[in-house]
Amino acid sequence: MKNIKVATAALAATMGSAFVGEALAADVTWNVSLWGKRRAFTEHVEKLSEEVAARTNGKFEIKLHYGGALSKSRENLDGISIGAFEMAQFCASYHADKNPTLTTTDLPFLGVPDLATQVKVDFALYDHPAVQKDLGRWNAKLLMPSPMPQYNLLGKGEAPTKLSDFKGMRVRALGGVGNAMKTIGAVPTTVTASEAYQAIDSGTVQAVAFAPHAHLSFKTIEAGNWWTNNLNPGTVSCPVVVSKDAYDMLSPDFQKALDESVDPAIQHYLDTYAKVYDKFYPSLEENGVAQITFSDEELASFKAAAGKPIWDKWVEDMSAKGLPAADLLALVQNTIAGK
């Protein structure tokens, strides 16, 4: 009799757990393809997941998969296209031919002063019909940006103070920033992020272009002795997109929960990145890194030499593809100017 009671109790406990699990299970689960580890660059996606769960009482779950578990970073847009997962983060420069309209904000020397302005620029661009049509080819709906601050150079040796000082300088700079550096006479060099410290320390390169969080992460601050505080040669566009089909299948309540979670997610990202700066500038001082601030005249020279010529060529090339390139560039410039 005792054994029967124990078995009955165990069965009841098991069934009870099953019913509880069923009650707590999400009605909808979305998978997100990310690369690397959790960091400032992904904090808004973390916050979005929390917000959506809270607004739907756990009925809409957004699961984050790091380390390229679902897809390689350069294949995330393809994964969205074929419905392999419902949400993903990628950078436009990974495949500029697949998302040419997004490369508008990859152009150098646009003059974006801060992350808050970058957010406004990104959302303004995302709202343009041509951009939505461009991403729609991949069944992708733009949800929110991953606003990256302007890349600046941290280097070793004699610090540059004017445009001509960059002539012949070996610089780790990729994409649009690399093109801008090449235009002013520097020599862009391909070095992986993990090799950046050694490259500066050994003299393989004289400077590295990174956003502040990367300079901290890869310890380039400890190898260099100068930092361009306001050169702001450019940044990279890295949106978070969702499958249009998956979004359309959501109930109106779930769509609302997702849409209304974007603003707090972006604010969390900005708050998180503010803490990066709280560490970055003291680290520059601790390591004796001089902060180089260029004059307005010198910045105008940079823009004239490495900004406008590249913008003009981009507009020509994109217009030849049937895109409203001039309109997109004007939209970005006007948003930066607060118009």
Side-chain angles (χ1 to χ4, degrees):
M1 180 66 71
K2 182 178 180 180
N3 290 337
I4 293 176
K5 289 182 178 180
V6 170
T8 302
L11 178 61
T14 300
M15 293 180 65
S17 298
F19 286 131
V20 169
E22 184 178 352
L24 294 178
D27 292 344
V28 174
T29 298
W30 274 17
N31 292 298
V32 188
S33 182
L34 304 167
W35 67 92
K37 299 179 180 180
R38 179 174 179 174
R39 58 206 185 282
F41 184 64
T42 61
E43 276 303 302
H44 56 329
V45 189
E46 292 278 356
K47 181 64 173 177
L48 184 85
S49 176
E50 294 175 8
E51 287 284 330
V52 168
R55 292 167 189 268
T56 62
N57 294 318
K59 294 181 179 179
F60 183 4
E61 179 185 20
I62 295 178
K63 296 179 65 175
L64 280 58
H65 300 267
Y66 285 101
L70 299 183
S71 172
K72 295 179 180 179
S73 59
R74 296 175 183 272
E75 297 174 2
N76 273 343
L77 186 56
D78 295 314
I80 287 291
S81 178
I82 64 175
F85 34 79
E86 293 78 19
M87 186 184 297
Q89 187 178 38
F90 67 88
C91 294
S93 58
Y94 289 167
H95 32 59
D97 56 322
K98 292 182 179 180
N99 42 235
T101 58
L102 290 180
T103 63
T104 312
T105 48
D106 278 358
L107 291 171
F109 292 103
L110 289 172
V112 180
D114 50 48
L115 274 186
T117 302
Q118 186 65 56
V119 170
K120 294 178 182 178
V121 168
D122 288 334
F123 276 124
L125 189 66
Y126 293 177
D127 283 341
H128 196 286
V131 179
Q132 295 177 0
K133 181 180 179 180
D134 188 13
L135 273 295
R137 295 180 300 142
W138 308 101
N139 193 38
K141 172 182 170 62
L142 290 152
L143 184 67
M144 61 181 178
S146 306
M148 293 286 282
Q150 292 289 297
Y151 280 38
N152 268 288
L153 302 179
L154 190 141
K156 183 179 181 180
E158 186 174 353
T161 58
K162 55 186 182 298
L163 182 68
S164 59
D165 291 341
F166 285 93
K167 188 172 183 180
M169 182 183 292
R170 295 183 304 279
V171 179
R172 189 273 184 190
L174 309 178
V177 177
N179 290 336
M181 291 293 100
K182 185 177 182 179
T183 303
I184 61 176
V187 182
T189 304
T190 300
V191 174
T192 66
S194 60
E195 296 172 329
Y197 172 92
Q198 182 61 32
I200 292 181
D201 192 50
S202 65
T204 301
V205 300
Q206 294 160 280
V208 168
F210 272 155
H213 73 275
H215 281 299
L216 284 172
S217 297
F218 298 106
K219 302 185 184 300
T220 49
I221 292 174
E222 298 175 14
N225 66 323
W226 55 264
W227 155 261
T228 60
N229 198 42
N230 69 332
L231 182 58
N232 297 341
T235 186
V236 292
S237 171
C238 300
V240 175
V241 297
V242 301
S243 160
K244 191 175 184 304
D245 287 345
Y247 182 85
D248 290 343
M249 289 176 64
L250 291 175
S251 68
D253 287 345
F254 282 10
Q255 287 183 351
K256 181 180 180 182
L258 179 63
D259 294 342
E260 292 183 350
S261 295
V262 170
D263 283 348
I266 289 295
Q267 186 58 54
H268 177 69
Y269 183 103
L270 295 177
D271 292 342
T272 299
Y273 217 96
K275 297 176 183 177
V276 171
Y277 285 111
D278 289 343
K279 295 179 181 179
F280 180 73
Y281 288 106
S283 185
L284 290 179
E285 295 181 8
E286 290 168 9
N287 287 277
V289 177
Q291 297 185 43
I292 309 303
T293 301
F294 295 96
S295 67
D296 290 342
E297 291 75 17
E298 282 299 325
L299 291 176
S301 298
F302 278 109
K303 181 177 287 189
K308 193 172 187 306
I310 294 177
W311 304 346
D312 292 345
K313 184 64 166 60
W314 179 87
V315 168
E316 179 183 348
D317 291 345
M318 294 298 109
S319 297
K321 295 179 180 180
L323 297 173
D327 290 344
L328 294 175
L329 179 57
L331 171 64
V332 166
Q333 292 174 318
N334 289 336
T335 305
I336 292 171
K339 297 180 181 179

